[in-house]
Amino acid sequence: MFLSFADVNLELPGPGSQQLSSLGNHSLLATYQVSWIRPLPSYDDQNFHVRVSRNKGGAEGADEYVLKITNSEDSQEPDLIEVQTQAMMFLSAEGFPSATPYLTKDGNIMSLESGDTGPGDKKYMVRLLTYLPGVPVAKIATNAQILYEIGKLAAGLDKALSEKFHHPSVKSLHRGQFIWNLANVPLLDQYIYALGQNKYREVVEQVIEQFKGKVIPKLSSFRACINHGDLNDHNILVDSSSASLENPQYRVSGILDFGDMSYGYYVFEVAIAIMYMMIESTDPLSVGGHVLAGFESVVPLTEEERGALFLLVSGRFSQSLVIAAHTALLYPENKEYLMITAKTGWKHLMTMFEVGQEAVEKTWFETAEAYTNRAPAQQMGGC
């Protein structure tokens, strides 16, 4: 099936009012009638929910897609976007709920398009992806069952990518100074100014110093893998697999946004998942044990990896909060979305340090240990 586009004006990611005036050359959607295009929340790209009708003028045969326009800076790395997209296709073929691209008329999975002509004209990589059903984890009251499943998914995804995924450009996932790779928490020094002078900055400085002294020297002992790198509560979609309102059972129906994929370590992925599952939880310190249990049902952590978990979770909180504050100064028009994590993130990070590493780890590890004696369905309860 080849899809193409007819004249549609779309706002592009980044500052200013530049638009993608036409996707006629991209030829993604012109085959069918476009019913509507609606913007979707996004960090630094631009995503649109697109509905098309296969029968002109009729509602029958309506299909939905996501039109993803990558920011102009990342669009300069076509090999990286190519390998990310191929990884999505691979995971879908392996049974993971990942979106897949529709081909352009030229048989490509993406195309490079120009904004409005004029000074400073930029180019943007454009893809049309399948639309995945479900609601973001951020919109539900999580319980032990779905937290366990998310941990299990995170481990299975990294394991599949690391053991079975092969592509000529996979080396582009060695991203060096990429600020969102957990190994690069020390690079936050250059963005910490955005916090001003307050108690939050003091905690982040403490995280950075402890990270340099206790995590960086141990990286070589961690098991390496390919990380999704951003399994946050808005990038995981779920739907309910039971009708019970008192005891809902969920399944993961979608994994979104592979833009932060990079080489890292298994323990990075579970730390990232724990941190983001804490964001909307009413009992955030209990979350980690359920996610960890699910992860370790596929990839058990070593003692050294477990020992780094507290600082890795704290490091991810620091990355998210500091980079969001920095980016909000650059793009104030997107501040509401950029600062989603900050609404509860600062409170959770401060609580972790007030309670202390030993007590937090005890809660996580005892909860995870309990799963060796009982099934996750018996571990139900709000988290």
Side-chain angles (χ1 to χ4, degrees), residues 185-327:
V185 164
L187 296 182
L188 293 178
D189 280 336
Q190 60 191 293
Y191 302 104
I192 203 168
Y193 75 91
L195 300 180
Q197 295 290 344
N198 51 48
K199 62 181 180 180
Y200 297 143
R201 177 171 178 155
E202 292 173 8
V203 170
V204 171
E205 288 174 339
Q206 189 178 345
V207 171
I208 294 172
E209 287 311 304
Q210 290 190 28
F211 203 96
K212 289 177 181 177
K214 298 180 180 180
V215 175
I216 297 299
K218 292 185 177 178
L219 288 179
S220 61
S221 69
F222 298 162
R223 288 165 300 163
C225 68
I226 296 173
N227 291 143
H228 174 281
D230 196 16
L231 291 176
N232 69 49
D233 51 343
H234 291 269
N235 283 343
I236 300 174
L237 304 178
V238 297
D239 60 24
S240 180
S241 58
S242 76
S244 170
L245 295 177
E246 297 79 19
N247 190 21
Q249 299 282 301
Y250 296 101
R251 71 175 187 91
V252 176
S253 59
I255 308 166
L256 308 179
D257 196 353
F258 285 73
D260 287 354
M261 270 184 71
S262 65
Y263 273 103
Y265 304 91
Y266 281 108
V267 70
F268 282 11
E269 197 77 274
V270 67
I272 291 167
I274 288 172
M275 174 261 163
Y276 284 117
M277 293 308 110
M278 290 174 66
I279 293 298
E280 300 293 340
S281 175
T282 56
D283 187 11
L285 294 185
S286 73
V287 163
H290 302 292
V291 178
L292 178 61
F295 193 93
E296 291 197 310
S297 72
V298 179
V299 180
L301 298 185
T302 65
E303 283 303 309
E304 283 193 311
E305 289 167 343
R306 275 189 161 214
L309 200 53
F310 178 89
L311 278 176
L312 289 170
V313 173
S314 302
R316 185 52 164 210
F317 266 119
S318 299
Q319 284 180 315
S320 181
L321 295 164
V322 171
I323 296 170
H326 166 73
T327 309

Side-chain angles (χ1 to χ4, degrees), residues 86-148:
Q86 291 289 347
M88 293 161 61
M89 297 165 67
F90 161 79
L91 289 169
S92 178
E94 288 287 310
F96 291 87
S98 172
T100 54
Y102 278 84
L103 301 181
T104 68
K105 68 176 182 179
D106 299 321
N108 299 314
I109 61 177
M110 58 189 184
S111 70
L112 192 64
E113 303 294 335
S114 296
D116 289 340
T117 56
D121 179 37
K122 297 179 179 179
K123 296 195 180 290
Y124 302 84
M125 202 65 78
V126 181
R127 288 168 287 172
L128 186 71
L129 306 173
T130 50
Y131 181 81
L132 299 173
V135 298
V137 170
K139 302 294 186 185
I140 68 167
T142 56
N143 57 34
Q145 177 263 331
I146 189 57
L147 294 172
Y148 181 93

Side-chain angles (χ1 to χ4, degrees), residues 363-374:
T363 299
W364 290 348
F365 298 158
E366 287 183 355
T367 299
E369 181 66 25
Y371 277 84
T372 61
N373 302 317
R374 61 177 92 170

